Amino acid sequence: MSKLAIVLAVAGIATGMTVPFEAANAFPALWLDRKQLRIPMGHCAGAAFEAVKKAGLREANKDAEGAGGTTASVRGTIRCVRLPRAGPCNADGATAVFIATSDRSVQDAKDIVQRMSRALGDPVLFDCN
């Protein structure tokens, strides 16, 4: 995970709320949010990848810690942050951190974050075996 992604993830988790950043001329607009999940960390990246695709982002890609994609003006990603022994069945849990940047507006970034969050929903692990 890049240093920027770690900083953004920690910022989103630490604040406990959505954090908008107004864009300067040389920088993209940024929107963050987070959601604690009720699935093990090992299931988070797959759920994030499906959410990115369901939210309509193109060029979706996945790694061990999340997934991301793009629209015409926005880059959106869902990063999975491990919560040691805080998940179901005494496994490591996960918090999903939603990050979007837009070269147009904060509202574009916010809209993508909300679409990814709705697409992810509230996945639940039903069976610990």
Side-chain angles (χ1 to χ4, degrees), residues 42-114:
H43 296 165
C44 183
F49 184 62
E50 292 304 316
V52 164
K53 292 189 304 185
K54 187 175 178 182
L57 278 69
R58 299 184 312 262
E59 301 175 14
N61 57 65
K62 176 179 112 170
D63 61 29
E65 293 154 349
T70 61
T71 68
S73 65
V74 179
R75 169 77 183 153
T77 189
I78 303 172
R79 304 309 302 166
C80 300
V81 179
R82 184 178 302 276
L83 302 173
R85 301 182 61 89
C89 310
N90 209 24
D92 289 350
T95 291
V97 178
F98 303 92
I99 306 164
T101 58
S102 171
D103 58 4
R104 291 191 186 154
S105 71
V106 170
Q107 189 61 48
D108 283 353
K110 179 181 177 182
D111 291 346
I112 291 298
V113 164
Q114 290 173 340

